[in-house]
């Protein structure tokens, strides 16, 4: 899935192929069989639901305003896309790529910490492919003037996007024995 996501030119198909690759994260979390990997699995289910929902919603809005699903054309017509939609694409792209302190970051941290050497190799490959795929959407977010979007869209994007930093804290409440602090590789390194 991640290979197709990297080469796909249609934003909706790219998001769909990326979903296929993200299932790999979930399978690694289950397959590793450790408590930490299972916590990462649960965190990733929650985080993925939020950031992928945000990405599909924002991509649909971008396509509606720009009149195309082709990523290169969306970059060219980015001025036609409302600012709130571009920001939602940016936040969703950063979250799915595992940008620090967003939901994908904490979930991937747990998955890495609870996995063996072979699983870590697959996780890093998935992460690299995801980062490459979504780096193509970043230029869409950059534009000086902003076209106003509707308040309803801003509210929908906000509801999905606001939880991305706090996913790990929410999951900490749901997973017995995993308090408020992360216990993955970043916390082991003192970060």
């Amino acid at each position: 899935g991640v290979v197709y996501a990297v080469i796909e030119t249609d934003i909706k198909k790219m998001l769909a192929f990326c979903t296929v690759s993200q299932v790999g994260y979930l399978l690694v979390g289950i397959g590793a069989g450790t408590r930490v990997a299972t916590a990462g699995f649960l965190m990733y289910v929650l985080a993925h639901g939020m950031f992928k929902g945000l990405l599909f919603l924002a991509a649909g809005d971008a396509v509606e305003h720009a009149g195309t699903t082709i990523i290169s054309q969306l970059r060219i017509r980015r001025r036609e896309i409302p600012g709130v939609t571009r920001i939602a694409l940016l936040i969703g792209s950063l979250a799915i790529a595992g940008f620090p302190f967003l939901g994908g970051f904490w979930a991937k941290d747990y998955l890495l910490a609870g996995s063996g050497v072979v699983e870590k190799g697959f996780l890093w490959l998935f992460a690299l492919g995801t980062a490459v795929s979504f780096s193509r959407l970043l230029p869409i977010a950059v534009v000086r003037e902003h076209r106003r979007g509707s308040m309803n869209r801003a509210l929908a994007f906000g509801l999905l996007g606001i939880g991305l930093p706090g996913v790990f804290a929410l999951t900490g409440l749901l997973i017995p024995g995993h308090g408020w602090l992360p216990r993955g590789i970043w916390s082991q390194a003192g970060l």
Side-chain angles (χ1 to χ4, degrees):
V2 76
V3 171
Y4 285 111
V6 168
I7 62 174
E8 184 57 58
T9 58
D10 184 291
I11 191 169
K12 291 180 180 184
K13 289 179 183 176
M14 189 266 293
L15 289 173
F17 282 125
C18 189
T19 299
V20 171
S21 79
Q22 301 302 299
V23 170
Y25 282 108
L26 302 177
L27 293 175
V28 168
I30 293 170
T34 66
R35 184 179 171 122
V36 175
T38 302
F41 163 79
L42 293 172
M43 292 174 82
Y44 208 78
V45 167
L46 183 60
H48 185 265
M50 289 190 332
F51 56 64
K52 192 53 73 84
L54 177 65
L55 284 165
F56 271 116
L57 189 63
D61 196 46
V63 166
E64 180 183 325
H65 283 88
T68 182
T69 60
I70 306 302
I71 295 170
S72 60
Q73 291 298 312
L74 287 168
R75 288 193 300 241
I76 292 169
R77 298 177 186 171
R78 67 181 176 251
R79 285 184 175 80
E80 299 170 24
I81 302 169
V84 69
T85 303
R86 291 194 317 267
I87 291 169
L89 281 172
L90 174 65
I91 292 170
S93 295
L94 293 175
I96 198 168
F99 192 78
F101 309 111
L102 296 175
F105 170 81
W106 297 116
K108 290 176 183 182
D109 181 35
Y110 271 77
L111 286 169
L112 281 168
S115 299
V117 174
V118 173
E119 292 95 355
K120 284 181 183 178
F122 283 112
L123 290 172
W124 282 110
L125 285 174
F126 294 150
L128 178 62
T130 301
V132 169
S133 297
F134 285 91
S135 68
R136 298 181 301 151
L137 299 184
L138 297 180
I140 296 171
V142 180
V143 71
R144 297 208 190 284
E145 62 273 354
H146 297 285
R147 180 179 175 167
R148 294 190 57 121
S150 79
M151 189 56 105
N152 290 338
R153 285 188 181 107
L155 180 62
F157 294 147
L159 288 174
L160 286 168
I162 196 80
L164 291 175
V167 163
F168 114 90
L170 283 173
T171 309
L173 291 173
L174 300 174
I175 302 170
H178 287 273
W180 289 94
L181 297 175
R183 297 189 181 171
I185 59 173
W186 292 102
S187 61
Q188 293 168 4
L191 299 174

